[in-house]
Structures are given as structure tokens and as C-alpha cells.
Amino acid sequence: MTTTPNLTLPYLAAGQAQKHVTLNESLRMLDALVQLSAVSRAISTPPASPAEGHRYIIAAGASGVWSGHVGKVAAFQDGGWMIYAPKEGWLVYVQDEDKLYAFDGAAWLVAGGASQSQPLFGVNATADTTNRLSVSSPATLFNHEGAGHQLKLNKAAAAQTASILFQTGFSGRAEIGTAGDDLFRLKTSADGATWRNVLTVDQTNGNTGVGISTISMSTRFNVESPDGGTARFVNAGGGGAGGGAGLLTYTWVTPVAAGDRFGQILFGSLCDGTMPGGVNAAGFSAHADGAWTVGSSHPSMIRFDTTPSGGAGRAERLRITSSGKVGIGTTTPSATLHVNGELRIGSFTVAGLPSASTLGAGAVVFVSNESGGAVLAFSDGTNWRRVTDRAIVT
């Protein structure tokens, strides 16, 4: 053997003449390879005026005397370039990157973490078998590479969890994602133990629930309160003629024809405690009260429905038409107030009659003890008069 096995340093032979030549060659190699520090690993062309002793990791596309030596160590020594082939396990500090690289037998990799499939990785923190990637810092940035960027959370099966958990003192306070199934949920907790569903979205149809954990109803938006709470809409900007909060419902129909429904609010009970079961027993709805001419004529009406005792379906009870006429028991009111059925008005004694002038001319009451007998009476603006003969009520 004429060279050492690791750095290939030449041995001095017994009786060798000019031993200093061999010794100097070994010293030159040691100077180049021990405590290896390269100026750069991004240069492929030998510098025109290199400093004595400078070393480089030859980059791809090597040319000149570096040609054919990509990945090797080039050292400028005694006015010329010496090329050294690295071996697996060699370390080099790259000065223009301030990084330590290791040679894995084929390429230079960042020492201690650039290779694939590292079991644990901590950044200013200690990783463990549960939190295999652990970061302790004021912020974490995931940046694009010229276009968009996605953060992907993948789970093995629907029954598993893919979520983002927000904690205070390592105790959960909010969680968003898919946990236990594929419904998308937002949950909150006051103590990290008892959780409350705030928002649930069905992944198959987009149906959304507020305050419920399971979407099994056919309606698009559902609100449930376990303690009988209510939903509130508030306009924080103040009042005025255009102020106040509102709930808007629209129909996506064109052209709009008479009878088209714009929206409805229904009231009822789940009865059997399941969804989408239940009975919608009462409600009100808005409809077109004639064909629309968009931009110039939008007739509309509101109808109110209830379900009678012994019945199972809603029936219309009251309607307000586009002309402002109110119909009770009729769908075609012909007067400002049209009642198709019995009508009962307030009953008063003579002593208990309200002021005729305050109520104004046209007000009608029933007088139970008028001197001539019980009678309907109307106000002429000053006095109450009997409907039968216009005499003043006494």
C-alpha cells in the first residue's frame, strides 16, 4: 500500500530519495482537506484570480480545468488547481451560505436535516413522537414559490381527525377541521374538555348548521340553541331612514310570474327529535302579486298560514296584497279590510266608551247597555251615534 486509506496521502518509502517531495504533497492535501471550508458551492467556472488556499465545491456545468469534476473539492494551491474526490461522510462548511454540508456518497446535503424522512425535527424546540415537527418562534411563514400555496392536512379515514387546534397553556380553546367524520366543524371550549359546536358544514351538499353537531336536514341553513337562545341581527352603524338590520331572501327566477314565492319563515317542532323530521305548523311567506316588469313594476304580497286543530297541513289565514288590501279568510280581498267570516268588535258600556273625538270619525264600537238596547255605534268625530237611527248614544 503506497497511500493512506482515507485521504489517500502518499507514504514515504524506505530508502526513498527526495522524501521532502512526498511529504510536502501529503501536507498539501492535509491543508486542503482538514477542517474543510469552501468559499462557495455555486461556482462552475474557475475564478480568474483565486486566493491561495481557497477551496470550492464544483457546481454543475463545470468548465475549464474543473470540467468533469462536479461535486468534487477544488483547491487553489501553489498557483494551480488540485482536485479532490470526496468520500461519504466528509463535512464542508460553505462560507457564502453559512451552512455545514455532508457528502452522502452521491451529493452534498445540509448536515443533520436536509435528507428525506427525518423522524423528528425541531426548530428552536424539541420534537417528540407525537409532535414530530416542533417550532418555537414568534411566527411561522409558508410562502409561495411564484404562484399559490396550500397547507394540506390529510387523514387516513373519515373517522380520524384532520384539524387545526388553538390552545392556551396547551389547553384547547378552539378547533377547526374534520374530526371523527368528514363534516367541517368549528368548535370552541372554555376548559379544553367540554366542546361546543359553533358551525357545521356538510361536505356533500354545503348545508350549514349553527350550534349543531350533525347535519341531517335538507335545509341549507340551520340554527339550533340548546338553551332556547335566539338569533339576533344588529346594525351597528345606527338608525335613520336606511338603518336597521335585515334578513334578505331572494328567488333566482326570471321572469317573475304571479305567485312566485320569494321566501318564507316557518315555525314548528321536530316532534320525534330527529332531523329532517318535524312539522312546520305555521309561518308567513312573500310572493309575487302579479307578473314583474323588472325595474318598473314589482307587485308583491304577504300571506300568513296556520294549521287547524285536528289538521296536518297549513292553510292560508291572512293576506296583504300589493295594493295594501288585507284579506282574512279570502285570497282576493276587494276592500282595505275584507273579512270572509264572522267579525267581532270591542264591547263597551255607555260609561266606559272611549272618546269619540280621540278615535275620530268612522270608529265603530259595540255598546252593551245603551238605553234603547245593545247596539252598534259609530263616531261622527264628536259623539257616538247609534247605527240604527243615528241618535246619540245615551
Side-chain angles (χ1 to χ4, degrees):
M1 181 180 291
T2 59
T3 59
T4 61
N6 293 317
L7 295 181
T8 321
L9 303 176
Y11 283 125
L12 294 174
Q16 175 182 334
Q18 295 187 325
K19 292 181 174 62
H20 66 283
V21 175
T22 302
L23 178 60
N24 288 340
E25 182 180 351
S26 296
L27 292 174
R28 184 184 302 110
M29 294 178 67
L30 288 171
D31 183 68
L33 301 178
V34 174
Q35 300 288 10
L36 182 56
S37 177
V39 175
S40 178
R41 66 182 191 98
I43 297 175
S44 58
T45 302
S49 302
E52 182 68 21
H54 275 188
R55 292 157 292 182
Y56 298 84
I57 304 298
I58 300 174
S63 61
V65 296
W66 288 3
S67 181
H69 298 295
V70 173
K72 295 180 180 180
V73 179
F76 192 73
Q77 297 175 300
D78 299 331
W81 290 103
M82 299 296 295
I83 306 296
Y84 302 100
K87 292 187 177 182
E88 186 174 359
W90 282 23
L91 298 174
V92 59
Y93 183 81
V94 180
Q95 298 168 19
D96 63 354
E97 299 181 35
D98 289 326
K99 291 181 181 178
L100 182 66
Y101 284 83
F103 190 71
D104 70 352
W108 293 96
L109 304 174
V110 174
S115 60
Q116 297 285 345
S117 300
Q118 292 295 319
L120 303 174
F121 196 86
V123 179
N124 195 34
T126 301
D128 55 40
T129 55
T130 299
N131 303 290
R132 295 177 181 270
L133 172 62
S134 183
V135 179
S136 180
S137 69
T140 303
L141 173 65
F142 295 90
N143 196 20
H144 67 86
E145 195 180 28
H149 185 90
Q150 283 186 322
L151 178 63
K152 299 179 180 179
L153 303 178
N154 183 52
K155 60 183 183 179
Q160 307 302 320
T161 295
S163 67
I164 299 177
L165 178 64
F166 301 87
Q167 298 180 311
T168 297
F170 295 103
S171 177
R173 292 296 179 269
E175 185 175 12
I176 186 170
T178 58
D181 52 36
D182 283 336
L183 295 175
F184 182 81
R185 291 188 179 89
L186 169 62
K187 302 188 292 183
T188 59
S189 174
D191 55 10
T194 302
W195 290 85
R196 185 165 185 169
N197 282 279
V198 177
L199 184 72
T200 304
V201 182
D202 192 314
Q203 77 279 6
T204 60
N205 52 30
N207 287 354
T208 301
V210 175
I212 58 180
S213 59
T214 302
I215 299 289
S216 59
M217 70 292 287
S218 59
T219 49
R220 179 65 69 187
F221 184 71
N222 310 272
V223 179
E224 179 179 308
S225 176
D227 52 10
T230 58
R232 183 170 63 173
F233 299 88
V234 177
N235 175 18
L247 176 64
L248 305 179
T249 67
Y250 296 94
T251 180
W252 195 261
V253 175
T254 182
V256 176
D260 284 348
R261 188 175 67 196
F262 305 136
Q264 62 180 341
I265 296 179
L266 301 177
F267 309 90
S269 172
L270 292 178
C271 297
D272 58 1
T274 63
M275 293 179 286
V279 173
N280 298 318
F284 58 92
S285 55
H287 303 255
D289 202 20
W292 280 26
T293 301
V294 178
S296 61
S297 179
H298 308 147
S300 60
M301 64 90 172
I302 297 178
R303 54 175 281 183
F304 297 80
D305 299 352
T306 63
T307 300
S309 177
R314 300 189 311 276
E316 181 178 338
R317 305 303 183 188
L318 184 147
R319 169 179 300 215
I320 304 175
T321 69
S322 57
S323 61
K325 294 175 181 177
V326 178
I328 300 176
T330 176
T331 61
T332 57
S334 58
T336 301
L337 175 61
H338 184 160
V339 179
N340 182 21
E342 312 86 61
L343 177 64
R344 182 172 180 174
I345 61 177
S347 176
F348 298 88
T349 63
V350 174
L353 281 171
S355 169
S357 59
T358 299
L359 291 182
V364 178
V365 296
F366 178 76
V367 184
S368 61
N369 63 344
E370 210 274 338
S371 59
V375 68
L376 284 175
F378 68 93
S379 169
D380 64 2
T382 303
N383 299 298
W384 290 106
R385 294 182 178 272
R386 295 192 301 236
V387 171
T388 55
D389 58 4
R390 294 180 52 82
I392 296 175
V393 171
T394 59

